[in-house]
Amino acid sequence: MKSYTFIILTAVAFLLTGCGNAGMFVASNSTEVQLKESNYTIVAKNVTGTSETAYLFGASYSWGVATNSVGLIPLDGNKMLYKEARESLWDNFEKQGESIEGRTLALINIQYDSNTSNFMVYTKASVSITADIIEFE
């Protein structure tokens, strides 16, 4: 009887503890920009930013633009995948020798890709954002 109590208490402890993340990018803004005029220049194409996270004893899934992970032991990465991927995109743009300070830049043709891997005791989720960058004159 004591062994069953220990197993049940251990299972409850695992269910009530752990780490997780849930991310979804939903853009809703009311800014309208007309790109048909010659008021912008494409300054970079296909700039990519990536973020990932990994857990032991967990699971990850992706559905559309939503990526979710839950696990007991975090191994690697950040819980804010979309924010970190966007910051990585801008960092990669600056590594190409471009500065973002004082410029009127915008992301266009934004593409979100996600990948999840689930193994028996290990799970990993990653998000990539690819976009073209324009500068308004």
Side-chain angles (χ1 to χ4, degrees), residues 6 33 49 57 61 74 80 86 104 112 125 130 133:
F6 176 74
V33 178
F57 305 110
Y61 72 92
M80 301 179 76
R86 189 181 64 245
T104 309
Y112 298 94
T130 304
I133 300 175

Side-chain angles (χ1 to χ4, degrees), residues 43-51 81-100 105-113 127-134:
V43 292
K45 289 186 175 185
N46 294 321
V47 181
T48 300
T50 304
S51 177
L81 293 175
Y82 287 91
K83 178 181 182 283
E84 190 175 272
R86 189 181 64 245
E87 289 173 356
S88 172
L89 183 144
W90 286 112
D91 289 343
N92 290 337
F93 176 67
E94 287 185 315
K95 286 178 186 175
Q96 294 176 359
E98 300 282 350
S99 174
I100 61 174
L105 302 172
L107 300 176
I108 61 168
N109 302 328
I110 302 170
Q111 185 177 347
Y112 298 94
D113 297 307
V127 170
S128 294
I129 300 174
T130 304
D132 297 336
I133 300 175
I134 62 171

Side-chain angles (χ1 to χ4, degrees), residues 19-56:
C19 296
N21 71 41
M24 181 173 183
F25 181 80
V26 179
S28 176
N29 54 34
S30 60
T31 303
E32 184 177 327
V33 178
Q34 298 292 328
L35 297 179
K36 63 185 176 183
E37 300 173 17
S38 297
N39 63 345
Y40 68 94
T41 305
I42 298 175
V43 292
K45 289 186 175 185
N46 294 321
V47 181
T48 300
T50 304
S51 177
E52 59 185 37
T53 188
Y55 294 99
L56 279 180

